[in-house]
Amino acid sequence: MPRQLSLSPVLYADATEAVDARYMAQMREQDETPVPTDPALPRFTLVVGPSPFTMPRGWEFFLTSPYEGATYIATVLHNAGYPVRIVDVRYTPDPLQSAFEQVMAGTDVLGVCTFEDNFPFCRELMERVRDAAPDVPIICGGSLVTSVPKVFMTHTACDIAVISEGEITVLELLESYAAGRWAQDLPNIRGIWYRGEGGRATSTRPRGQMPDLDSLPRMRLDLWPQARSPQGLQPQIISSYSRGCKMDCSFCYRTTPQVRAKSPEKMDRDLAWLKNQYGIEFSFFVDLTFSSYRKQTLALCDVIKDHDLRWTCLTRCADMDAERAAAMHDSGCDIILYGVESLGSEVLREARKGSSENITVRAMRTTFEADIRFGALLIVGLPNETEESLNHMVEFAETYNHVTRVKYLSAMPGTTVYRQSIDQGLMRSELDHLNWLSIEQALHEDEFLNVSGLPERACRDAYERVYASYQPGPVMDFRHWPEHFNYYQPQQYDGLERSTAYGGKGWRSSFSSAGAPLVPGSERFVLDLVADREVARAGSALLTCGAKNLGGALAGA
């Protein structure tokens, strides 16, 4: 029986045609010898918009560090000679106005990074740009436009949506645009949606993933505006050695589902560049399953060890043993983040986690024995969760104080949970749902889609107890605070000594989470306004979310 894919089949193609090989070779060559910036080429502005997400104490660096995907897109275009600017408004009080003004200051082609939680920003920015500069083409890429391209193209002014990986595709698009050939070339450029005759959105053949990640250039972090700020670039970065994931969890969306990895030699070269060029001290390796393959993990740890880095990563409980854990410790790993999600056997089965409570406990003990901190990532409200299984998970968290993140289940576009939520009528429309995702702050008072059917009180009590079991993150001395961050929910409880001593006494007495303020206008997207009454009542009746607080009178709508 052929494998049944949970994500769109277009994501499982391979970029192995002659044109792909040509651009991969170009990326390699121009990484060695970048083309001087040519002012005659179109000026490309790449906008990175805001996210409502807050991060726990010690993890705030993730909110301000250059994003890897945007960095690669900007780097390949910069190396090819295009004038490139990154506009970063992730923590600007009025991100829409700020982004619009910067775009209008000099843009021939606009690129917009899309995430699951920034749809309203993307839509409204594109509308403003289209009204003010109708001849500026708009290219969108990222997880949101990849997951729901038809919905996105229907409801925005986007001209071209880049699906899945973007490095090859954006090079081909800009080369064609600079030569004035879009009209004839777009139907043959793979991996995009574009507007054809009459403005109708049309898709081309899928491009798929690059077979060789060694063709990627070294990241040019100096293209980010932070590099020109008085503080300069922060020494904590986001990076990876691989793309894709061997698993198929029902709640997780992957723009690149197939596993591809850099060679140890490429990884060594990249880390040397980042260390020497930018003085990095800490890396969050955002590979979805860092330790999936033992031999590969050991080779990578040998590479990392030579660069005097502290680091953290994401992985699965089933992919840990004493040998891997020891190698990770010896190469500077501070904390390993595990996708535990739940301990309920029926919950894990429905979520396709390939895990169990026994596997989780074994991984935790192995991690502790290697003198590395264990960071559990938990979800409240997965399908098949019961009050009994949820309470068991909470007691587990309270016993070990090892939690790094808890959140209510999100129906992420493109996932099995998303499709099931549509079928069950939990969304009034996909457009309403995309708008609503933009107010999820990962706080106790968030609204949530109640797919589990549990009482709202049970979910909120569980969240609050797990939140009190947090341990501090790896970067307690973060110094690149944006001026306009908001701070949330201080409390005096430090937790158990073995898990929290790293943060010092009273490590969260000032705040437990921090993040950018909600975008002005977010009050338009609360569940009371975008969902049916019963759906809203099941996940928003007991607490007032941040967006409702912005809306004042709307809180009683």
Side-chain angles (χ1 to χ4, degrees), residues 347-496:
V347 182
L348 295 170
R349 179 189 59 79
E350 177 70 17
R352 301 195 294 267
K353 280 294 300 179
S355 187
S356 68
E357 180 175 353
N358 287 339
I359 290 174
T360 296
V361 171
R362 183 179 65 197
M364 182 179 64
R365 289 174 177 166
T366 300
T367 306
F368 285 158
E369 288 167 2
D371 198 24
I372 304 176
R373 290 190 293 149
F374 181 98
L377 307 174
L378 302 177
I379 296 176
V380 171
L382 282 162
N384 288 352
E385 196 79 82
T386 65
E387 291 191 62
E388 181 181 22
S389 64
L390 187 58
N391 188 62
H392 179 53
M393 181 179 79
V394 171
E395 291 174 346
F396 182 71
E398 291 174 334
T399 299
Y400 296 102
N401 289 96
H402 61 353
V403 178
T404 297
R405 164 62 83 194
V406 61
K407 64 188 296 293
Y408 299 111
L409 176 68
S410 293
M412 290 299 179
T415 64
T416 299
V417 170
Y418 180 78
R419 292 194 300 272
Q420 290 173 343
S421 297
I422 294 173
D423 293 341
Q424 294 167 11
L426 295 179
M427 302 176 191
R428 194 166 65 184
S429 73
E430 291 187 74
L431 179 62
D432 285 322
H433 186 68
L434 298 186
N435 282 325
W436 175 72
L437 286 174
S438 70
I439 68 168
E440 183 187 36
Q441 295 181 274
L443 294 172
H444 176 225
E445 58 268 29
D446 274 350
E447 301 178 339
F448 60 94
L449 286 185
N450 197 337
V451 305
S452 67
L454 291 173
E456 182 184 353
R457 173 58 65 193
C459 293
R460 294 205 180 278
D461 287 350
Y463 192 111
E464 189 170 32
R465 290 170 62 190
V466 172
Y467 194 93
S469 302
Y470 272 11
Q471 62 179 312
V475 185
M476 299 300 292
D477 59 346
F478 182 59
R479 297 174 185 175
H480 285 65
W481 295 100
E483 180 182 354
H484 304 289
F485 258 27
N486 287 335
Y487 303 92
Y488 300 93
Q489 298 165 338
Q491 55 179 297
Q492 298 304 312
Y493 176 59
D494 279 354
L496 299 184

Side-chain angles (χ1 to χ4, degrees), residues 50-62:
S51 166
F53 242 53
T54 69
M55 294 300 286
R57 181 78 198 280
W59 294 94
E60 301 88 0
F61 70 90
F62 191 87

Side-chain angles (χ1 to χ4, degrees), residues 191-220:
I192 64 171
W193 283 65
Y194 71 98
R195 298 201 183 278
E197 188 174 345
R200 184 173 62 89
T202 304
S203 63
T204 64
R205 290 189 301 120
R207 184 182 299 276
Q209 293 181 229
M210 288 185 288
D212 181 14
L213 293 190
D214 282 10
S215 62
L216 289 171
R218 293 164 292 180
M219 292 193 293
R220 292 294 302 263

Side-chain angles (χ1 to χ4, degrees), residues 164-449:
S164 190
E165 287 178 336
E167 290 87 1
I168 292 175
T169 305
V170 78
L171 283 171
E172 189 172 8
L173 283 171
L174 266 291
E175 182 180 287
S176 173
Y177 180 77
R181 298 198 309 264
W182 264 15
Q184 57 265 44
D185 287 352
L186 288 183
N188 299 311
I189 294 178
R190 297 176 4 260
I192 64 171
W193 283 65
Y194 71 98
R195 298 201 183 278
E197 188 174 345
R200 184 173 62 89
T202 304
S203 63
T204 64
R205 290 189 301 120
R207 184 182 299 276
Q209 293 181 229
M210 288 185 288
D212 181 14
L213 293 190
D214 282 10
S215 62
L216 289 171
R218 293 164 292 180
M219 292 193 293
R220 292 294 302 263
L221 301 181
D222 49 292
L223 294 172
W224 286 78
Q226 293 92 313
R228 300 182 294 278
S229 71
Q231 286 183 308
L233 286 166
Q234 63 193 61
Q236 303 89 13
I237 66 161
I238 300 168
S239 64
S240 68
Y241 78 87
S242 67
R243 293 177 176 176
C245 181
K246 66 182 183 181
M247 300 305 294
D248 190 30
C249 299
S250 65
F251 54 85
C252 181
Y253 187 74
R254 291 87 65 206
T255 58
T256 53
Q258 301 182 94
V259 178
R260 302 284 186 267
K262 299 175 184 176
S263 67
E265 294 77 18
K266 167 65 172 170
M267 189 69 171
D268 184 51
R269 187 166 183 260
D270 282 357
L271 289 178
W273 164 264
L274 292 168
K275 184 84 175 181
N276 296 331
Q277 192 77 7
Y278 305 113
I280 66 166
E281 301 171 356
F282 184 95
S283 179
F284 188 162
F285 293 114
V286 291
D287 311 81
L288 292 177
T289 50
F290 183 92
S291 63
S292 282
Y293 305 100
R294 180 183 291 106
K295 183 178 179 180
Q296 183 181 63
T297 304
L298 298 178
L300 285 169
C301 288
D302 281 342
V303 169
I304 297 170
K305 184 164 55 177
D306 291 337
H307 294 281
D308 189 26
L309 282 179
R310 288 175 55 243
W311 57 279
T312 186
C313 67
L314 302 157
T315 198
R316 301 175 62 243
C317 291
D319 294 329
M320 189 52 60
D321 55 31
E323 186 179 16
R324 277 177 278 197
M328 294 167 77
H329 171 269
D330 291 345
S331 59
C333 185
D334 180 287
I335 181 172
I336 303 173
L337 308 187
Y338 290 92
V340 175
E341 325 305 359
S342 175
L343 296 180
S345 58
E346 290 302 305
V347 182
L348 295 170
R349 179 189 59 79
E350 177 70 17
R352 301 195 294 267
K353 280 294 300 179
S355 187
S356 68
E357 180 175 353
N358 287 339
I359 290 174
T360 296
V361 171
R362 183 179 65 197
M364 182 179 64
R365 289 174 177 166
T366 300
T367 306
F368 285 158
E369 288 167 2
D371 198 24
I372 304 176
R373 290 190 293 149
F374 181 98
L377 307 174
L378 302 177
I379 296 176
V380 171
L382 282 162
N384 288 352
E385 196 79 82
T386 65
E387 291 191 62
E388 181 181 22
S389 64
L390 187 58
N391 188 62
H392 179 53
M393 181 179 79
V394 171
E395 291 174 346
F396 182 71
E398 291 174 334
T399 299
Y400 296 102
N401 289 96
H402 61 353
V403 178
T404 297
R405 164 62 83 194
V406 61
K407 64 188 296 293
Y408 299 111
L409 176 68
S410 293
M412 290 299 179
T415 64
T416 299
V417 170
Y418 180 78
R419 292 194 300 272
Q420 290 173 343
S421 297
I422 294 173
D423 293 341
Q424 294 167 11
L426 295 179
M427 302 176 191
R428 194 166 65 184
S429 73
E430 291 187 74
L431 179 62
D432 285 322
H433 186 68
L434 298 186
N435 282 325
W436 175 72
L437 286 174
S438 70
I439 68 168
E440 183 187 36
Q441 295 181 274
L443 294 172
H444 176 225
E445 58 268 29
D446 274 350
E447 301 178 339
F448 60 94
L449 286 185

Side-chain angles (χ1 to χ4, degrees), residues 21-35 79 214-218 269:
R22 176 166 76 85
Y23 284 110
M24 284 189 284
Q26 176 181 319
M27 284 192 286
R28 285 178 184 267
E29 294 165 7
Q30 293 174 346
D31 181 41
E32 294 289 346
T33 309
V35 176
N79 289 352
D214 282 10
S215 62
L216 289 171
R218 293 164 292 180
R269 187 166 183 260

